[in-house]
Amino acid sequence: MKLETFMKYMAALSMNYSKDFFNPKDKDQRDIWYNMLKDIPDDIFAKGIVKLMSIEVFTPKIADIRRYCAEVAAPILVDDTEAWGLVTEAIRKYGYMREQEAIQSLPKTVREAVMRVGGYQCICSAENTGVIRGQFNKVMEAINTRDKTARNTSSGLNNALLQLSCTEEPLSLEEVTY
């Protein structure tokens, strides 16, 4: 991020919250805040600050700014109920035999959850879908918790931005023999 962008939006935060929040003349404070936030791209920082100012009532900390920027950068988290709906929709649309197409139609985090509960074929052939759905929901919740935590760190935010900018490689399914 450019220093000019940083200063512009920090001034907006100061006007919105309090004059004491951020003092641009305090070089130490400015350097610390800038160094903690400079890995965020200008456009993501701008959108994150706008979102933060429209929601937060209390003066934000660096972690709050990073969290809002991470949400703006990668809003691809799918909750467990929505994820299960995507899986059942893929089963209806592609059936049992078109596994590769069904898997590719799912977001990356949902594909990971499907693989962790035994794979697409396991879900399709499950006799008690309530049990498999419960397992899937727990796995999806764990994946989302992990991703939310990772996105608040600079390396996690960078990975989220990288995922948005590149196309995903298709998953290769290994044949399992029993």
Side-chain angles (χ1 to χ4, degrees):
M1 164 184 8
K2 294 182 219 148
L3 184 59
E4 299 83 41
T5 304
F6 171 76
M7 293 303 290
K8 174 183 171 183
Y9 285 96
M10 292 306 286
L13 284 172
S14 292
M15 288 188 297
N16 191 53
Y17 292 103
S18 81
K19 302 289 183 213
D20 299 332
F21 164 67
F22 182 78
N23 181 3
K25 294 179 181 169
D26 183 350
K27 186 176 177 350
D28 290 337
Q29 182 189 27
R30 184 187 67 217
D31 290 347
I32 290 169
W33 279 70
Y34 182 66
N35 285 329
M36 294 295 291
L37 299 168
K38 70 182 177 184
D39 63 313
I40 303 170
D42 289 354
D43 59 329
I44 300 295
F45 186 71
K47 291 175 186 173
I49 295 296
V50 168
K51 183 174 181 179
L52 183 143
M53 289 191 315
S54 66
I55 295 172
E56 290 294 326
V57 177
F58 299 106
T59 306
K61 307 282 188 261
I62 292 173
D64 298 324
I65 294 171
R66 293 196 71 80
R67 181 170 41 91
Y68 278 96
C69 289
E71 287 175 11
V72 167
I76 49 178
L77 292 177
V78 181
D79 73 351
D80 52 350
T81 305
E82 183 182 355
W84 183 254
L86 292 172
V87 170
T88 56
E89 181 181 323
I91 291 170
R92 275 194 303 278
K93 185 174 181 181
Y94 297 103
Y96 183 81
M97 299 300 291
R98 294 169 49 198
E99 179 177 4
Q100 283 289 358
E101 293 172 71
I103 294 287
Q104 291 304 315
S105 73
L106 300 171
K108 185 179 181 208
T109 54
V110 178
R111 286 190 298 215
E112 184 179 348
V114 166
M115 292 303 157
R116 285 190 184 181
V117 296
Y120 183 77
Q121 298 289 331
C122 179
I123 293 172
C124 288
S125 62
E127 291 181 20
N128 189 348
T129 56
V131 171
I132 198 97
R133 180 181 181 169
Q135 293 170 347
F136 178 86
N137 288 348
K138 286 198 181 293
V139 168
M140 197 68 216
E141 183 181 342
I143 290 170
N144 283 337
T145 302
R146 178 200 66 203
D147 286 355
K148 281 180 189 174
T149 303
R151 287 179 186 176
N152 288 338
T153 66
S154 50
S155 63
L157 180 60
N158 290 338
N159 288 340
L161 291 169
L162 184 63
Q163 284 180 0
L164 287 178
S165 65
C166 64
T167 58
E168 294 182 5
E169 292 285 322
L171 283 178
S172 61
L173 299 176
E174 297 175 15
E175 188 172 316
V176 178
T177 54
Y178 295 98

